[in-house]
Amino acid sequence: MTMTFPIRWAQSALFALCVLTLAASAAAGQHDGSEGDPPPEHLLGFSAQSSHQQRQLEARFASQLDATNLSRWMGRLTARPHHVGSTQGSRNVEFIARQFAYWGFETEVEEFEVLFPTPIARTLQMVKPVAFTAQLNEPPIGGDSTSRVTQERLPPYNAYSIDGDVTAELVYVNYGVPADYEQLERRGVEVEGKIVIARYGGSWRGIKPKVAAQNGAIGCILYSDPRDDGYGQGDTYPAGPYRPAHGAQSGSVADMPLFPGDPLTPFVGAKPGVKRLTREEAPTLTTIPVLPISYADAQPLLEQLGGPVAPADWRGALPITYHLGPGPATVRLALTFDWKLVTAKNVIARLPGAQRPDEWIVRGNHHDAWTFGARDPVSGLVALLEEARALGGLVKDGWRPRRTIVYAAWDAEEPGLLGSTEWVEHHATELGAKVAVYINSDSNGRGFLGIGGSHSLEAFINQVARDVEDPQKQIPVIERARAERILRGSPAEREAARERLDLSISALGSGSDYSPFLQHLGIASLNLGYRGESGGGSYHSIYDSFDHYQRFGDPGFAYGVALAETAGRAVLRLAQAEVLPFEFTAFARSVSTYVDELHELLTTTREAHQELNRKLDEGVFEAASDPTLAFVPPRRKGSVPEIDLSPLHAAAERLATSAERYLPLLKSVAEGRIGTSQRNRANLQLAASERALTRQEGLPGRPWYRHFVYAPGFYTGYGVKTIPGVREAIEQEDWSLARKQVPIAAAVLLRYAQRIDQAAEFLRPEAASSLN
């Protein structure tokens, strides 16, 4: 499900210079202004002796990885459409389960009954001022062998749109986010009772119909503008990777910021016989009909719009003048769905731990797709399978993991993380007690390592990435990622990449299967993948095919092997570490940044209100408005009250103190001065540390999301909101809620600091006598 917007990445001489310079400085152990010494030879959580043994084990693992397996498996798994409930999906599950079992894993297929509507009828017609009927179909393309396969192929549609038959004038709403509707209001453009057309981008697709309905629209059309996703990026398929004229992006529009998973069974696994909501009761279904179309189908509709000319930054790349409407274009949108339950099938494969079987490291990637799904998700899935095959080889040679390793191939991710969410909800008690870390991947391609996740794992995954060689540049993948940030990052990212030996990782919002682990159960998580040099254009369409991926995604599957090695080394280290390799200074630093951002948000909001009201008092808006437009001045804003953030600042400082006190104790682990009882007790605290950042009551208005540091935004979907209870209250100008959320978030951070302190107590060398 995770989407990467298409961007062209040129291999410039400047970029090559960055790579060479960083490679040389890494080899010399030098970085101007770095925050400390070069990384030690020992691995986090290992003694010096066990570090050497672990590196030998990982070398054996990496030597077994073979790109030909990834190519062969992708060809097989993408031969037919394999959405949840499909015949090919079941065949793929049988194949994946057989492979795991053959490699020595204890393997099962666990099933859930989930709601998955599919189209019965889709109609989009323009009835005024001229007649036009949208094609709503993706045609075969020469050179793409599977684009002619139609058996069980789903047409372009948005899952969890309601049925509907509406006719109304059309309004162009840009990306369809709240700020766009504010602009329309100021231009006197009415949306009430209209059908809106929005281009993909700017937010997750499910936000667009939600905001449209909140503004009174009765229908929503989504399209891929070629500026964002087509010839505005480069040559279109098959000449290049980008979306062709009749390519359309399918996808779920469930209101996942409320909760992911089966819309009828929130908080419980969707097993047969479980109590279900009715469709009328299900809050994540849309309230208006929604349909995705291609830019070839969108152009005739947009051509017939009148009204004001769209602002400059609203204009796409179609050869037309973009107008806002409403009308005179009038369209009929009619949709009917088969609202059926289908069987989602998760493949769960285990290697039991020899010493700590009740501490689990879980590694997952989904297997379902909208159609053929070569990039999304099979590029990530085949890397996961190759990891598991290589681990199985180690097992056949007599190796056993210290902790239990669980590999999962999730079903029904594309409609809204259904397979993983239902599994997590159904097994919540056991998983909350046993899972130490979850590692996710999704789509993969040629380019640069991308890492998101819990910042307590930042130092750990940086160390892993130093040991993986980039297939193109033969330098550590972390150094190539650093070069990208120096060349293309924001000013803050460039400065940090130059000054620090490690790279910061991104906070996680939503969009893939880490969400139920991290944000519902509070399990420390990572999301890994390579990206940036393979173009876009195939996302959620029939052109996400084996042929497209071989040409543009990752020719030769070198970066598929890189992902298998990166995630595989991470799994092995987490499974084998004497002490779980958490390190908390990066988290403390991130939290301090988030608190500073809240202060800045309050300040900028207050200043923006004051400036707006000043302009209204001076009549600036009326004087500057275009007399040909029915320009409506913005509404006067109320004053922004003082919000006392000092509890959060104090909690962030306390957290930083705990993190700094914990850091030297990792040296005791490296020196082998920690006894078995100490390690065991410390591991119990560390495995559960992320849980301290959750509250059973959940976030305001959406109790499924229990993590109080990372959550998807209510109006961003995939995009993360950090310290979300406070941040979103400020953004929504709910000052009373903001005041209530500050001490709650501060208490969560203090509880986390206490958990760090508890783990630290067990790692002090002097604690050995009292514990033995």
Side-chain angles (χ1 to χ4, degrees), residues 442-475:
D442 199 318
S443 301
N444 195 60
R446 186 173 68 251
F448 310 93
L449 176 62
I451 312 169
S454 302
H455 287 88
S456 55
L457 296 169
E458 182 172 289
F460 161 75
I461 197 61
N462 267 266
Q463 199 174 58
V464 169
R466 290 188 191 104
D467 289 338
V468 180
E469 184 178 88
D470 182 82
Q472 292 187 63
K473 299 298 181 182
Q474 287 75 53
I475 62 173

PDB file of all heavy atoms in Angstrom, residues 442-475:
ATOM      1  N   ASP A 442       7.491  -3.318   2.298  1.00  0.00           N
ATOM      2  CA  ASP A 442       6.334  -3.271   1.406  1.00  0.00           C
ATOM      3  C   ASP A 442       6.859  -3.238  -0.013  1.00  0.00           C
ATOM      4  O   ASP A 442       7.349  -4.231  -0.524  1.00  0.00           O
ATOM      5  CB  ASP A 442       5.468  -2.055   1.750  1.00  0.00           C
ATOM      6  CG  ASP A 442       4.040  -2.157   1.226  1.00  0.00           C
ATOM      7  OD1 ASP A 442       3.870  -2.591   0.083  1.00  0.00           O
ATOM      8  OD2 ASP A 442       3.104  -1.796   1.957  1.00  0.00           O
ATOM      9  N   SER A 443       6.856  -2.097  -0.654  1.00  0.00           N
ATOM     10  CA  SER A 443       7.421  -1.972  -1.989  1.00  0.00           C
ATOM     11  C   SER A 443       8.931  -1.771  -1.910  1.00  0.00           C
ATOM     12  O   SER A 443       9.448  -1.228  -0.927  1.00  0.00           O
ATOM     13  CB  SER A 443       6.780  -0.795  -2.724  1.00  0.00           C
ATOM     14  OG  SER A 443       5.394  -0.983  -2.815  1.00  0.00           O
ATOM     15  N   ASN A 444       9.626  -2.161  -2.968  1.00  0.00           N
ATOM     16  CA  ASN A 444      11.077  -1.993  -3.014  1.00  0.00           C
ATOM     17  C   ASN A 444      11.490  -1.653  -4.436  1.00  0.00           C
ATOM     18  O   ASN A 444      10.785  -1.988  -5.402  1.00  0.00           O
ATOM     19  CB  ASN A 444      11.777  -3.277  -2.567  1.00  0.00           C
ATOM     20  CG  ASN A 444      13.238  -3.054  -2.253  1.00  0.00           C
ATOM     21  OD1 ASN A 444      13.562  -2.269  -1.375  1.00  0.00           O
ATOM     22  ND2 ASN A 444      14.131  -3.742  -2.972  1.00  0.00           N
ATOM     23  N   GLY A 445      12.615  -0.975  -4.581  1.00  0.00           N
ATOM     24  CA  GLY A 445      13.112  -0.634  -5.906  1.00  0.00           C
ATOM     25  C   GLY A 445      14.568  -0.221  -5.848  1.00  0.00           C
ATOM     26  O   GLY A 445      15.202  -0.236  -4.788  1.00  0.00           O
ATOM     27  N   ARG A 446      15.085   0.189  -6.973  1.00  0.00           N
ATOM     28  CA  ARG A 446      16.483   0.597  -7.061  1.00  0.00           C
ATOM     29  C   ARG A 446      16.661   1.961  -6.389  1.00  0.00           C
ATOM     30  O   ARG A 446      15.813   2.834  -6.508  1.00  0.00           O
ATOM     31  CB  ARG A 446      16.860   0.705  -8.549  1.00  0.00           C
ATOM     32  CG  ARG A 446      18.324   0.977  -8.830  1.00  0.00           C
ATOM     33  CD  ARG A 446      18.631   0.897 -10.322  1.00  0.00           C
ATOM     34  NE  ARG A 446      18.009   1.975 -11.073  1.00  0.00           N
ATOM     35  CZ  ARG A 446      16.976   1.811 -11.908  1.00  0.00           C
ATOM     36  NH1 ARG A 446      16.429   0.612 -12.063  1.00  0.00           N
ATOM     37  NH2 ARG A 446      16.477   2.843 -12.556  1.00  0.00           N
ATOM     38  N   GLY A 447      17.762   2.118  -5.645  1.00  0.00           N
ATOM     39  CA  GLY A 447      18.031   3.439  -5.103  1.00  0.00           C
ATOM     40  C   GLY A 447      18.599   3.452  -3.708  1.00  0.00           C
ATOM     41  O   GLY A 447      19.568   2.756  -3.406  1.00  0.00           O
ATOM     42  N   PHE A 448      17.973   4.235  -2.847  1.00  0.00           N
ATOM     43  CA  PHE A 448      18.528   4.591  -1.546  1.00  0.00           C
ATOM     44  C   PHE A 448      17.719   3.937  -0.427  1.00  0.00           C
ATOM     45  O   PHE A 448      16.503   3.821  -0.514  1.00  0.00           O
ATOM     46  CB  PHE A 448      18.503   6.115  -1.365  1.00  0.00           C
ATOM     47  CG  PHE A 448      19.089   6.860  -2.530  1.00  0.00           C
ATOM     48  CD1 PHE A 448      18.275   7.310  -3.569  1.00  0.00           C
ATOM     49  CD2 PHE A 448      20.446   7.090  -2.604  1.00  0.00           C
ATOM     50  CE1 PHE A 448      18.800   7.984  -4.653  1.00  0.00           C
ATOM     51  CE2 PHE A 448      20.997   7.765  -3.680  1.00  0.00           C
ATOM     52  CZ  PHE A 448      20.179   8.210  -4.712  1.00  0.00           C
ATOM     53  N   LEU A 449      18.399   3.549   0.623  1.00  0.00           N
ATOM     54  CA  LEU A 449      17.729   2.935   1.757  1.00  0.00           C
ATOM     55  C   LEU A 449      16.865   3.970   2.469  1.00  0.00           C
ATOM     56  O   LEU A 449      17.332   5.037   2.850  1.00  0.00           O
ATOM     57  CB  LEU A 449      18.756   2.364   2.734  1.00  0.00           C
ATOM     58  CG  LEU A 449      18.188   1.761   4.022  1.00  0.00           C
ATOM     59  CD1 LEU A 449      17.273   0.583   3.728  1.00  0.00           C
ATOM     60  CD2 LEU A 449      19.330   1.338   4.954  1.00  0.00           C
ATOM     61  N   GLY A 450      15.601   3.631   2.650  1.00  0.00           N
ATOM     62  CA  GLY A 450      14.688   4.432   3.448  1.00  0.00           C
ATOM     63  C   GLY A 450      14.349   3.687   4.725  1.00  0.00           C
ATOM     64  O   GLY A 450      14.080   2.484   4.684  1.00  0.00           O
ATOM     65  N   ILE A 451      14.386   4.380   5.847  1.00  0.00           N
ATOM     66  CA  ILE A 451      14.129   3.766   7.147  1.00  0.00           C
ATOM     67  C   ILE A 451      13.163   4.641   7.922  1.00  0.00           C
ATOM     68  O   ILE A 451      13.370   5.842   8.077  1.00  0.00           O
ATOM     69  CB  ILE A 451      15.415   3.625   7.998  1.00  0.00           C
ATOM     70  CG1 ILE A 451      16.558   3.014   7.187  1.00  0.00           C
ATOM     71  CG2 ILE A 451      15.140   2.801   9.248  1.00  0.00           C
ATOM     72  CD1 ILE A 451      17.905   3.097   7.898  1.00  0.00           C
ATOM     73  N   GLY A 452      12.104   4.022   8.415  1.00  0.00           N
ATOM     74  CA  GLY A 452      11.218   4.677   9.361  1.00  0.00           C
ATOM     75  C   GLY A 452      11.026   3.769  10.551  1.00  0.00           C
ATOM     76  O   GLY A 452      11.200   2.556  10.454  1.00  0.00           O
ATOM     77  N   GLY A 453      10.653   4.358  11.686  1.00  0.00           N
ATOM     78  CA  GLY A 453      10.388   3.482  12.809  1.00  0.00           C
ATOM     79  C   GLY A 453      10.563   4.129  14.157  1.00  0.00           C
ATOM     80  O   GLY A 453      10.679   5.361  14.297  1.00  0.00           O
ATOM     81  N   SER A 454      10.575   3.280  15.169  1.00  0.00           N
ATOM     82  CA  SER A 454      10.768   3.711  16.551  1.00  0.00           C
ATOM     83  C   SER A 454      12.196   4.219  16.721  1.00  0.00           C
ATOM     84  O   SER A 454      13.155   3.520  16.374  1.00  0.00           O
ATOM     85  CB  SER A 454      10.520   2.537  17.498  1.00  0.00           C
ATOM     86  OG  SER A 454       9.219   2.014  17.324  1.00  0.00           O
ATOM     87  N   HIS A 455      12.338   5.390  17.277  1.00  0.00           N
ATOM     88  CA  HIS A 455      13.673   5.982  17.372  1.00  0.00           C
ATOM     89  C   HIS A 455      14.569   5.283  18.391  1.00  0.00           C
ATOM     90  O   HIS A 455      15.780   5.492  18.387  1.00  0.00           O
ATOM     91  CB  HIS A 455      13.555   7.475  17.655  1.00  0.00           C
ATOM     92  CG  HIS A 455      13.088   8.252  16.471  1.00  0.00           C
ATOM     93  ND1 HIS A 455      11.754   8.451  16.193  1.00  0.00           N
ATOM     94  CD2 HIS A 455      13.765   8.830  15.449  1.00  0.00           C
ATOM     95  CE1 HIS A 455      11.633   9.144  15.067  1.00  0.00           C
ATOM     96  NE2 HIS A 455      12.833   9.383  14.599  1.00  0.00           N
ATOM     97  N   SER A 456      13.995   4.452  19.230  1.00  0.00           N
ATOM     98  CA  SER A 456      14.825   3.624  20.110  1.00  0.00           C
ATOM     99  C   SER A 456      15.617   2.585  19.328  1.00  0.00           C
ATOM    100  O   SER A 456      16.556   1.984  19.849  1.00  0.00           O
ATOM    101  CB  SER A 456      13.952   2.920  21.141  1.00  0.00           C
ATOM    102  OG  SER A 456      12.918   2.175  20.511  1.00  0.00           O
ATOM    103  N   LEU A 457      15.275   2.381  18.059  1.00  0.00           N
ATOM    104  CA  LEU A 457      15.987   1.445  17.186  1.00  0.00           C
ATOM    105  C   LEU A 457      16.866   2.165  16.173  1.00  0.00           C
ATOM    106  O   LEU A 457      17.441   1.524  15.286  1.00  0.00           O
ATOM    107  CB  LEU A 457      14.993   0.538  16.456  1.00  0.00           C
ATOM    108  CG  LEU A 457      14.170  -0.408  17.347  1.00  0.00           C
ATOM    109  CD1 LEU A 457      13.045  -1.058  16.538  1.00  0.00           C
ATOM    110  CD2 LEU A 457      15.064  -1.472  17.975  1.00  0.00           C
ATOM    111  N   GLU A 458      16.987   3.479  16.273  1.00  0.00           N
ATOM    112  CA  GLU A 458      17.737   4.245  15.284  1.00  0.00           C
ATOM    113  C   GLU A 458      19.214   3.853  15.258  1.00  0.00           C
ATOM    114  O   GLU A 458      19.788   3.596  14.189  1.00  0.00           O
ATOM    115  CB  GLU A 458      17.588   5.737  15.553  1.00  0.00           C
ATOM    116  CG  GLU A 458      18.297   6.616  14.539  1.00  0.00           C
ATOM    117  CD  GLU A 458      17.970   8.086  14.735  1.00  0.00           C
ATOM    118  OE1 GLU A 458      16.818   8.481  14.438  1.00  0.00           O
ATOM    119  OE2 GLU A 458      18.846   8.838  15.207  1.00  0.00           O
ATOM    120  N   ALA A 459      19.856   3.804  16.423  1.00  0.00           N
ATOM    121  CA  ALA A 459      21.279   3.449  16.467  1.00  0.00           C
ATOM    122  C   ALA A 459      21.485   2.026  15.955  1.00  0.00           C
ATOM    123  O   ALA A 459      22.437   1.747  15.223  1.00  0.00           O
ATOM    124  CB  ALA A 459      21.813   3.584  17.887  1.00  0.00           C
ATOM    125  N   PHE A 460      20.593   1.133  16.324  1.00  0.00           N
ATOM    126  CA  PHE A 460      20.690  -0.257  15.896  1.00  0.00           C
ATOM    127  C   PHE A 460      20.624  -0.379  14.375  1.00  0.00           C
ATOM    128  O   PHE A 460      21.483  -1.018  13.753  1.00  0.00           O
ATOM    129  CB  PHE A 460      19.557  -1.065  16.538  1.00  0.00           C
ATOM    130  CG  PHE A 460      19.269  -2.368  15.852  1.00  0.00           C
ATOM    131  CD1 PHE A 460      20.115  -3.448  16.001  1.00  0.00           C
ATOM    132  CD2 PHE A 460      18.134  -2.517  15.056  1.00  0.00           C
ATOM    133  CE1 PHE A 460      19.850  -4.656  15.356  1.00  0.00           C
ATOM    134  CE2 PHE A 460      17.862  -3.710  14.419  1.00  0.00           C
ATOM    135  CZ  PHE A 460      18.723  -4.782  14.565  1.00  0.00           C
ATOM    136  N   ILE A 461      19.621   0.229  13.740  1.00  0.00           N
ATOM    137  CA  ILE A 461      19.457   0.026  12.294  1.00  0.00           C
ATOM    138  C   ILE A 461      20.530   0.773  11.518  1.00  0.00           C
ATOM    139  O   ILE A 461      20.924   0.355  10.422  1.00  0.00           O
ATOM    140  CB  ILE A 461      18.034   0.416  11.840  1.00  0.00           C
ATOM    141  CG1 ILE A 461      17.733  -0.187  10.461  1.00  0.00           C
ATOM    142  CG2 ILE A 461      17.825   1.910  11.855  1.00  0.00           C
ATOM    143  CD1 ILE A 461      17.780  -1.707  10.402  1.00  0.00           C
ATOM    144  N   ASN A 462      21.067   1.873  12.073  1.00  0.00           N
ATOM    145  CA  ASN A 462      22.224   2.518  11.450  1.00  0.00           C
ATOM    146  C   ASN A 462      23.409   1.557  11.416  1.00  0.00           C
ATOM    147  O   ASN A 462      24.126   1.461  10.413  1.00  0.00           O
ATOM    148  CB  ASN A 462      22.600   3.784  12.212  1.00  0.00           C
ATOM    149  CG  ASN A 462      21.950   5.037  11.668  1.00  0.00           C
ATOM    150  OD1 ASN A 462      22.525   5.741  10.847  1.00  0.00           O
ATOM    151  ND2 ASN A 462      20.731   5.303  12.104  1.00  0.00           N
ATOM    152  N   GLN A 463      23.624   0.841  12.512  1.00  0.00           N
ATOM    153  CA  GLN A 463      24.743  -0.088  12.571  1.00  0.00           C
ATOM    154  C   GLN A 463      24.553  -1.221  11.568  1.00  0.00           C
ATOM    155  O   GLN A 463      25.505  -1.646  10.903  1.00  0.00           O
ATOM    156  CB  GLN A 463      24.876  -0.640  13.993  1.00  0.00           C
ATOM    157  CG  GLN A 463      26.228  -1.249  14.294  1.00  0.00           C
ATOM    158  CD  GLN A 463      26.358  -1.640  15.747  1.00  0.00           C
ATOM    159  OE1 GLN A 463      25.571  -2.434  16.249  1.00  0.00           O
ATOM    160  NE2 GLN A 463      27.351  -1.092  16.427  1.00  0.00           N
ATOM    161  N   VAL A 464      23.325  -1.707  11.432  1.00  0.00           N
ATOM    162  CA  VAL A 464      23.039  -2.727  10.420  1.00  0.00           C
ATOM    163  C   VAL A 464      23.369  -2.201   9.027  1.00  0.00           C
ATOM    164  O   VAL A 464      24.025  -2.876   8.215  1.00  0.00           O
ATOM    165  CB  VAL A 464      21.558  -3.156  10.498  1.00  0.00           C
ATOM    166  CG1 VAL A 464      21.183  -4.015   9.292  1.00  0.00           C
ATOM    167  CG2 VAL A 464      21.276  -3.914  11.795  1.00  0.00           C
ATOM    168  N   ALA A 465      22.910  -0.984   8.734  1.00  0.00           N
ATOM    169  CA  ALA A 465      23.080  -0.434   7.393  1.00  0.00           C
ATOM    170  C   ALA A 465      24.537  -0.156   7.056  1.00  0.00           C
ATOM    171  O   ALA A 465      24.891  -0.068   5.870  1.00  0.00           O
ATOM    172  CB  ALA A 465      22.253   0.845   7.252  1.00  0.00           C
ATOM    173  N   ARG A 466      25.404  -0.016   8.051  1.00  0.00           N
ATOM    174  CA  ARG A 466      26.838   0.149   7.767  1.00  0.00           C
ATOM    175  C   ARG A 466      27.458  -1.138   7.241  1.00  0.00           C
ATOM    176  O   ARG A 466      28.526  -1.112   6.630  1.00  0.00           O
ATOM    177  CB  ARG A 466      27.579   0.601   9.028  1.00  0.00           C
ATOM    178  CG  ARG A 466      27.267   2.013   9.469  1.00  0.00           C
ATOM    179  CD  ARG A 466      28.171   2.479  10.601  1.00  0.00           C
ATOM    180  NE  ARG A 466      27.669   3.726  11.167  1.00  0.00           N
ATOM    181  CZ  ARG A 466      27.030   3.825  12.320  1.00  0.00           C
ATOM    182  NH1 ARG A 466      26.853   2.745  13.067  1.00  0.00           N
ATOM    183  NH2 ARG A 466      26.596   4.988  12.761  1.00  0.00           N
ATOM    184  N   ASP A 467      26.798  -2.270   7.498  1.00  0.00           N
ATOM    185  CA  ASP A 467      27.356  -3.560   7.105  1.00  0.00           C
ATOM    186  C   ASP A 467      26.770  -4.102   5.806  1.00  0.00           C
ATOM    187  O   ASP A 467      27.079  -5.227   5.414  1.00  0.00           O
ATOM    188  CB  ASP A 467      27.130  -4.585   8.226  1.00  0.00           C
ATOM    189  CG  ASP A 467      28.002  -4.302   9.437  1.00  0.00           C
ATOM    190  OD1 ASP A 467      29.031  -3.612   9.276  1.00  0.00           O
ATOM    191  OD2 ASP A 467      27.654  -4.753  10.541  1.00  0.00           O
ATOM    192  N   VAL A 468      25.916  -3.321   5.135  1.00  0.00           N
ATOM    193  CA  VAL A 468      25.327  -3.736   3.861  1.00  0.00           C
ATOM    194  C   VAL A 468      25.914  -2.874   2.757  1.00  0.00           C
ATOM    195  O   VAL A 468      25.920  -1.641   2.847  1.00  0.00           O
ATOM    196  CB  VAL A 468      23.795  -3.599   3.880  1.00  0.00           C
ATOM    197  CG1 VAL A 468      23.198  -4.034   2.535  1.00  0.00           C
ATOM    198  CG2 VAL A 468      23.189  -4.425   5.018  1.00  0.00           C
ATOM    199  N   GLU A 469      26.416  -3.513   1.717  1.00  0.00           N
ATOM    200  CA  GLU A 469      27.066  -2.783   0.618  1.00  0.00           C
ATOM    201  C   GLU A 469      26.057  -2.423  -0.465  1.00  0.00           C
ATOM    202  O   GLU A 469      25.248  -3.239  -0.882  1.00  0.00           O
ATOM    203  CB  GLU A 469      28.176  -3.646   0.011  1.00  0.00           C
ATOM    204  CG  GLU A 469      28.970  -2.935  -1.081  1.00  0.00           C
ATOM    205  CD  GLU A 469      30.092  -3.780  -1.627  1.00  0.00           C
ATOM    206  OE1 GLU A 469      29.849  -4.555  -2.576  1.00  0.00           O
ATOM    207  OE2 GLU A 469      31.204  -3.687  -1.078  1.00  0.00           O
ATOM    208  N   ASP A 470      26.125  -1.161  -0.912  1.00  0.00           N
ATOM    209  CA  ASP A 470      25.263  -0.711  -2.002  1.00  0.00           C
ATOM    210  C   ASP A 470      25.656  -1.401  -3.302  1.00  0.00           C
ATOM    211  O   ASP A 470      26.845  -1.420  -3.661  1.00  0.00           O
ATOM    212  CB  ASP A 470      25.370   0.804  -2.175  1.00  0.00           C
ATOM    213  CG  ASP A 470      24.462   1.321  -3.266  1.00  0.00           C
ATOM    214  OD1 ASP A 470      23.274   1.517  -2.997  1.00  0.00           O
ATOM    215  OD2 ASP A 470      24.951   1.489  -4.409  1.00  0.00           O
ATOM    216  N   PRO A 471      24.699  -1.978  -4.042  1.00  0.00           N
ATOM    217  CA  PRO A 471      25.048  -2.724  -5.250  1.00  0.00           C
ATOM    218  C   PRO A 471      25.688  -1.894  -6.348  1.00  0.00           C
ATOM    219  O   PRO A 471      26.465  -2.424  -7.148  1.00  0.00           O
ATOM    220  CB  PRO A 471      23.689  -3.282  -5.717  1.00  0.00           C
ATOM    221  CG  PRO A 471      22.820  -3.282  -4.514  1.00  0.00           C
ATOM    222  CD  PRO A 471      23.269  -2.095  -3.708  1.00  0.00           C
ATOM    223  N   GLN A 472      25.356  -0.590  -6.403  1.00  0.00           N
ATOM    224  CA  GLN A 472      25.914   0.236  -7.472  1.00  0.00           C
ATOM    225  C   GLN A 472      27.250   0.863  -7.094  1.00  0.00           C
ATOM    226  O   GLN A 472      28.168   0.916  -7.913  1.00  0.00           O
ATOM    227  CB  GLN A 472      24.929   1.350  -7.839  1.00  0.00           C
ATOM    228  CG  GLN A 472      23.656   0.883  -8.515  1.00  0.00           C
ATOM    229  CD  GLN A 472      22.828   2.059  -8.998  1.00  0.00           C
ATOM    230  OE1 GLN A 472      23.262   2.822  -9.850  1.00  0.00           O
ATOM    231  NE2 GLN A 472      21.631   2.201  -8.438  1.00  0.00           N
ATOM    232  N   LYS A 473      27.357   1.359  -5.860  1.00  0.00           N
ATOM    233  CA  LYS A 473      28.510   2.169  -5.482  1.00  0.00           C
ATOM    234  C   LYS A 473      29.534   1.428  -4.638  1.00  0.00           C
ATOM    235  O   LYS A 473      30.608   1.957  -4.380  1.00  0.00           O
ATOM    236  CB  LYS A 473      28.032   3.421  -4.728  1.00  0.00           C
ATOM    237  CG  LYS A 473      27.118   4.314  -5.553  1.00  0.00           C
ATOM    238  CD  LYS A 473      27.829   4.844  -6.788  1.00  0.00           C
ATOM    239  CE  LYS A 473      26.921   5.757  -7.592  1.00  0.00           C
ATOM    240  NZ  LYS A 473      27.576   6.245  -8.826  1.00  0.00           N
ATOM    241  N   GLN A 474      29.184   0.213  -4.190  1.00  0.00           N
ATOM    242  CA  GLN A 474      30.110  -0.589  -3.369  1.00  0.00           C
ATOM    243  C   GLN A 474      30.609   0.169  -2.143  1.00  0.00           C
ATOM    244  O   GLN A 474      31.782   0.107  -1.765  1.00  0.00           O
ATOM    245  CB  GLN A 474      31.303  -1.090  -4.206  1.00  0.00           C
ATOM    246  CG  GLN A 474      30.942  -2.194  -5.180  1.00  0.00           C
ATOM    247  CD  GLN A 474      30.191  -1.669  -6.388  1.00  0.00           C
ATOM    248  OE1 GLN A 474      30.657  -0.739  -7.058  1.00  0.00           O
ATOM    249  NE2 GLN A 474      29.045  -2.248  -6.694  1.00  0.00           N
ATOM    250  N   ILE A 475      29.710   0.920  -1.545  1.00  0.00           N
ATOM    251  CA  ILE A 475      29.953   1.570  -0.263  1.00  0.00           C
ATOM    252  C   ILE A 475      28.793   1.189   0.646  1.00  0.00           C
ATOM    253  O   ILE A 475      27.767   0.686   0.176  1.00  0.00           O
ATOM    254  CB  ILE A 475      30.049   3.105  -0.402  1.00  0.00           C
ATOM    255  CG1 ILE A 475      28.725   3.683  -0.930  1.00  0.00           C
ATOM    256  CG2 ILE A 475      31.206   3.500  -1.286  1.00  0.00           C
ATOM    257  CD1 ILE A 475      28.673   5.195  -0.939  1.00  0.00           C
TER     258      ILE A 475
END
